[in-house]
Amino acid sequence: MANQISLTGESYKSWVGQAAQFSTNQIVAGTTTLLAKGSTEGFGVCCDPSGNMYITDPAQHIIVKVTPNGTAYLWAGLAGTSGNNGSNVVSLTDARFNTPRGIACDAKGDLIVADAGNNQIRKISKNGYVSLLAGDPNGVAGYVNGTSARFSGPRDICNTKSEDILVADTNNHSIRKMIKGRQYVYTLAGTNVAGDVVDTDGTAARFSSPTAIANSLGGEFFVADNGNYKIKKIYESGRTAFFSGIGTVGTTVGIATVTQFQEIITLFCNNSGQLFAVDYAERGDARLVKIDGMGTTTMVYSYGGLDFFGGATVNNSGKIYLVQSPVIESLIYSSSSSSSSSSSIDSSSSSSIDSSSSSSIDSSSSSSSSSSSSVGNSSSSSSSSVGNSSSSSSSSSSGA
């Protein structure tokens, strides 16, 4: 159904490096080169319940699939070609996207995509069909609720516990909600006028270019309010509250009211409800920041001199995957001090990702975290929880 991908005449390649230790035994990391030359923006990323990883590439207008054994496929779209299928239901190969960004997977294994350039929310069913969930069929931007909803540059999405869909409608400065099974959209928080207002309900709240959204597992949602350099919390009732960020650009970490952000690309919670942010600067520096339940930030992992940094997700075993074009970096986050810096992410030093002998991108070992050769399905431990640590969630995360 899907073909192994080839861009500019090259197949996707995999190179797995040795593990390195970062941040006082908290991180064991290795890298896997995923994207071929010419594919410049691995961005949104999520894992499905079976451990497959899906990555949006807004520069190439495609969705890439990476199986648990490390094989990469062009899953949907045509590399280098943008388009719009309107309200038609089409196959994976006939599907056309325009700068797809956020992606999430629901409990059934269907993918939901924020097709930002088409101002639409699309569905990729697990049986291989692509359809329009919400947004103007012709891709016209707007701010309209109801069954004929319009969006403007939606950058991210996430699922709720009841399987409704939340949308960070970036250019409309608002958070929109689509009711499960009804394709009915309404504004949960904010309106299409930018601002910075919290401690209020529904459309009285104000955001400025929200770019990322995450489900806390406990029922609340966290929003990267990028234009205000803050993270805000939205309760299920629709009430918006301040969570973290002083409101000026910078890299300070600490308590909520001194923390600074640059440009939050991704928000996600791990399996215990711990909130993380991927914060990026245009000069090419990026960092993974942990945020506790009081909004206090700690830098977990710092990246320097990268060409572009995209989304992040966590699999069922608790491993964090960070997408940095053209690399996927797999991290094992552990609060234990017994992690071994000599652990290898993979036993091989070089392999083609489309080779039958390819090593798994998730074949890692650590004395404090364990994972199998699949992308999912083992237990994990984590530090303090933002949400309800006893709750379980579908594997949904994305990039903004």
Side-chain angles (χ1 to χ4, degrees), residues 80-226:
T81 302
S82 65
N84 179 13
N85 299 111
S87 57
N88 297 317
V89 178
V90 297
S91 67
L92 297 173
T93 55
D94 288 335
R96 296 294 181 267
F97 301 90
N98 186 355
T99 322
R101 292 195 179 273
I103 188 169
C105 184
D106 66 19
K108 297 183 296 183
D110 295 331
L111 302 175
I112 312 299
V113 178
D115 193 1
N118 280 325
N119 303 300
Q120 296 170 346
I121 306 303
R122 311 280 294 278
K123 175 181 174 180
I124 304 176
S125 69
K126 63 181 180 180
N127 59 356
Y129 291 95
V130 181
S131 58
L132 175 66
L133 283 181
D136 184 82
N138 296 314
V140 177
Y143 181 66
V144 179
N145 286 318
T147 55
S148 299
R150 288 186 178 181
F151 304 92
S152 183
R155 290 279 295 270
D156 200 17
I157 50 178
C158 75
N159 301 311
T160 71
K161 292 188 298 183
S162 58
E163 297 186 38
D164 298 329
I165 298 169
L166 293 187
V167 180
D169 194 4
T170 304
N171 297 339
N172 279 326
H173 312 293
S174 58
I175 305 303
R176 316 284 293 281
K177 184 173 184 177
M178 183 169 65
I179 304 301
K180 176 187 175 184
R182 290 182 56 193
Q183 295 183 303
Y184 182 90
V185 174
Y186 71 93
T187 301
L188 178 67
T191 186
N192 62 339
V193 177
D196 186 11
V197 179
V198 295
D199 297 328
T200 189
D201 298 317
T203 56
R206 293 291 182 269
F207 302 87
S208 179
S209 301
T211 53
I213 188 166
N215 185 344
S216 72
L217 310 185
E220 302 95 6
F221 305 92
F222 296 98
V223 176
D225 191 8
N226 250 10

Side-chain angles (χ1 to χ4, degrees), residues 252-315:
T252 301
V253 294
I255 63 173
T257 53
V258 304
T259 288
Q260 292 177 302
F261 298 105
Q262 302 166 100
E263 180 183 357
I264 296 175
I265 299 294
T266 297
L267 287 175
F268 68 98
C269 290
N270 69 6
N271 302 346
S272 298
Q274 173 65 63
L275 180 66
F276 293 87
V278 175
D279 193 27
Y280 175 76
E282 290 298 328
R283 65 182 180 273
D285 298 327
R287 57 186 183 151
L288 177 66
V289 178
K290 182 180 74 173
I291 308 154
D292 71 13
M294 299 299 292
T296 298
T297 54
T298 305
M299 189 177 74
V300 175
Y301 189 40
S302 179
Y303 306 75
L306 303 181
D307 292 333
F308 186 82
F309 194 82
T313 192
V314 61
N315 69 6

Side-chain angles (χ1 to χ4, degrees), residues 5-7 10-16 31-37 39-45 53-57 62-67 70-74 321-329 351-354 358 361:
I5 193 165
S6 177
L7 299 177
E10 296 184 47
S11 296
Y12 275 51
K13 302 293 182 182
S14 172
W15 180 85
V16 183
T31 59
T32 300
T33 299
L34 175 69
L35 303 177
K37 181 180 179 182
S39 183
T40 56
E41 290 189 14
F43 206 86
V45 56
M53 188 186 305
Y54 298 88
I55 302 166
T56 63
D57 185 340
I62 56 176
I63 313 298
V64 176
K65 177 180 180 179
V66 184
T67 64
T71 302
Y73 294 92
L74 193 163
Y321 288 94
L322 305 173
V323 177
Q324 176 256 316
S325 298
V327 168
I328 288 180
E329 188 141 9
S351 63
S352 170
I353 205 163
D354 57 3
S358 169
I361 59 175

